[in-house]
């Protein structure tokens, strides 16, 4: 039997980020695309989104993004993560549902 | 000099600043090793020990004593990176020197295969979510650079951790399936994903085409190393 290799931290991070970016960019990809889940990338998105959907709504989505990123420990730019075997938490379904709900109300 | 908290064992600058190939896009990578289970120390304490020119763009990486020691024992590529390209800012009881020379890197092929697997997922991901193209191009850069870094262990005289490592592999020119301009576009995409800077745009079609070329290049490198090892 072939044993499937455990995903690396990098692979897990990619999976978490793709899920969130697809949700945000599916709705706002034209006017305010999100490029990543680090604090710096999300702050840059926050500024663009404030112009596109208004500061109040942008702030609400930004707070959810920050919380998702904090829970999955994605906030800092750790380029050394690519070879790390440490685990990261998968996306929290409740937080993703909250994000999708907020995005669909825009 | 101020003494940092007692749990800090070592502070080192590594990466582009040490290679002396830093440019306006470079940050300053700083390794901080702390005693296990002692928590982090205040960041400003670490920053205060750095030369002034590094303080504003320092990117701190925190590691525990045992984690770093195990990376040296296991021959982790990051341990080799630190061994070759880091300089001391602070050491307690010669901690870093006590780690010695890392074990020879045993996992180059495994790591290259892992990045090829990620590369293989990029084009399908762009097709299913075209608005994520910048993020995906950033991943392309990470994969290409890391495949080259891992491959350099076998193919170069010394491991190459530089940003342009794919262009420094001693392979026939026709093996390099992408241009420096395309690579730099992917590098800017990665910086946008990590640091919030502005990316350079690339169409979805061009990005998908680039993915297939980088994937082919990665596979060629893997084949070259495997063939070389068979002959050895």
């Amino acid at each position: 039997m072939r044993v499937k290799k455990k995903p690396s931290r990098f692979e897990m991070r990619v999976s978490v980020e793709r899920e969130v970016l697809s949700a945000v960019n599916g709705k706002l990809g034209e006017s305010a695309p999100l490029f990543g889940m680090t604090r710096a990338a999300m702050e840059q998105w926050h500024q663009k989104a404030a112009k596109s959907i208004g500061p109040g709504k942008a702030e609400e989505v930004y707070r959810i993004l920050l919380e998702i990123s904090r829970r999955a420990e994605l906030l800092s730019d750790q380029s050394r993560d690519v070879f790390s075997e440490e685990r990261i938490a998968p996306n929290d379904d409740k937080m993703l549902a909250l994000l999708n709900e907020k995005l669909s109300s825009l | 000099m101020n003494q940092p908290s007692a749990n800090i064992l070592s502070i080192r600058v590594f990466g582009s600043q040490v290679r002396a190939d830093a440019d306006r896009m470079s940050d300053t990578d700083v390794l901080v090793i702390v005693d296990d289970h002692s928590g982090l120390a205040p960041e400003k304490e670490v920053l205060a020990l750095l030369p002034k020119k590094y303080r504003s763009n320092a990117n701190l990486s925190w590691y525990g004593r045992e984690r770093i020691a195990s990376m040296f024992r296991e021959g982790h590529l990051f341990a080799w990176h630190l061994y070759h390209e880091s300089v001391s800012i602070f050491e307690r009881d010669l901690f870093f020197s006590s780690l010695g020379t890392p074990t020879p890197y045993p996992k180059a092929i495994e790591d290259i295969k892992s990045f090829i697997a990620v590369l293989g997922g990029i084009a399908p991901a762009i097709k299913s979510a075209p608005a994520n193209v910048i993020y995906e191009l950033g991943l392309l850069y990470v994969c290409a650079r890391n495949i080259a870094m891992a491959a350099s262990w076998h193919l170069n005289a010394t491991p190459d951790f530089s940003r342009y490592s794919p262009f420094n592999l001693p392979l026939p020119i026709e093996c390099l399936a992408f241009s420096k301009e395309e690579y730099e576009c992917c590098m800017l995409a990665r910086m946008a994903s990590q640091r919030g800077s502005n990316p350079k745009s690339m169409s979805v079609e061009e990005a998908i085409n680039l993915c297939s070329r980088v994937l082919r290049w990665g596979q060629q490198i893997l084949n070259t190393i495997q063939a070389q090892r068979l002959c050895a």
Side-chain angles (χ1 to χ4, degrees):
Chain A
M1 191 180 77
R2 198 172 164 202
V3 180
K4 201 172 176 211
K5 187 180 154 283
K6 274 190 197 169
S8 65
R9 182 183 171 89
F10 176 60
E11 288 164 319
M12 292 178 76
R13 180 171 184 144
V14 168
S15 161
V16 167
E17 287 176 329
R18 273 188 181 142
E19 204 169 11
V20 175
L21 264 66
S22 295
V24 174
N25 291 339
K27 185 79 181 182
L28 300 167
E30 290 285 320
S31 57
L34 176 64
F35 298 138
M37 296 286 293
T38 61
R39 187 183 293 278
M42 290 191 297
E43 277 173 4
Q44 192 246 19
W45 174 85
H46 188 193
Q47 289 173 12
K48 283 185 295 193
K51 288 179 193 155
S52 161
I53 57 175
K57 286 178 178 166
E59 178 68 23
E60 286 176 19
V61 179
Y62 175 65
R63 282 178 185 275
I64 298 171
L65 291 174
L66 264 185
E67 183 55 22
I68 292 174
S69 187
R70 189 192 64 76
R71 289 187 189 194
E73 298 174 57
L74 306 177
L75 286 175
S76 64
D77 162 16
Q78 294 289 8
S79 45
R80 272 70 52 205
D81 277 358
V82 293
F83 288 110
S84 170
E85 285 141 19
E86 287 161 35
R87 308 288 90 195
I88 62 167
N91 268 328
D92 182 326
D93 288 343
K94 281 184 189 163
M95 291 305 297
L96 269 183
L98 188 62
L99 175 67
N100 283 316
E101 189 187 312
K102 199 57 76 183
L103 289 168
S104 61
S105 72
L106 294 176
Chain B
M1 186 174 92
N2 295 331
Q3 281 291 309
S5 298
N7 67 332
I8 294 183
L9 302 173
S10 175
I11 301 174
R12 302 182 75 83
V13 169
F14 66 98
S16 59
Q17 302 290 355
V18 178
R19 281 192 305 272
D21 65 3
D23 57 27
R24 62 184 173 81
M25 292 191 287
S26 305
D27 53 8
T28 300
D29 289 312
V30 181
L31 172 79
V32 189
I33 305 173
V34 289
D35 239 333
D36 290 332
H37 314 298
S38 66
L40 307 183
E43 196 168 308
K44 63 179 180 187
E45 205 176 271
V46 176
L47 295 178
L49 291 166
L50 295 176
K52 264 187 187 160
K53 61 178 178 175
Y54 295 148
R55 286 181 199 165
S56 62
N57 64 351
N59 179 19
L60 307 191
S61 295
W62 298 82
Y63 281 81
R65 174 201 285 266
E66 178 46 32
R67 179 71 188 126
I68 280 288
S70 74
M71 288 168 110
F72 271 67
R73 282 195 306 271
E74 291 162 14
H76 202 286
L77 195 56
F78 184 51
W80 279 101
H81 190 175
L82 296 173
Y83 181 76
H84 279 298
E85 289 180 358
S86 71
V87 293
S88 175
I89 301 295
F90 168 81
E91 296 295 331
R92 192 179 302 282
D93 302 330
L94 298 173
F95 174 78
F96 193 82
S97 311
S98 74
L99 295 169
T101 306
T103 297
Y105 175 43
K107 285 172 57 185
I109 287 181
E110 196 181 317
D111 285 338
I112 291 170
K113 282 182 179 169
S114 158
F115 283 109
I116 287 176
V118 176
L119 267 179
I122 295 178
I126 295 176
K127 285 176 192 164
S128 72
N132 289 355
V133 66
I134 295 296
Y135 172 77
E136 299 295 342
L137 285 173
L139 291 184
L140 201 65
Y141 163 74
V142 173
C143 291
R145 182 179 175 190
N146 282 281
I147 285 172
M149 288 197 309
S152 72
W153 177 265
H154 289 290
L155 301 178
N156 297 27
T158 52
D160 181 355
F161 301 104
S162 70
R163 203 186 281 163
Y164 288 92
S165 53
F167 297 88
N168 300 333
L169 291 173
L171 294 171
I173 192 77
E174 62 272 16
C175 289
L176 195 64
F178 47 93
S179 69
K180 227 169 211 176
E181 195 183 354
E182 288 172 318
Y183 183 73
E184 282 170 347
C185 185
C186 295
M187 185 161 70
L188 289 173
R190 183 61 178 174
M191 287 180 180
S193 297
Q194 299 295 97
R195 302 185 202 164
S197 53
N198 287 322
K200 197 172 161 187
S201 65
M202 184 185 283
S203 74
V204 165
E205 293 71 26
E206 284 173 317
I208 290 171
N209 178 284
L210 181 58
C211 285
S212 68
R213 284 183 281 134
V214 178
L215 186 58
R216 208 168 48 235
W217 166 83
Q219 196 61 55
Q220 269 180 328
I221 288 175
L222 181 62
N223 294 343
T224 303
I225 295 173
Q226 285 177 324
Q228 196 184 70
R229 287 176 58 125
L230 269 179
C231 292

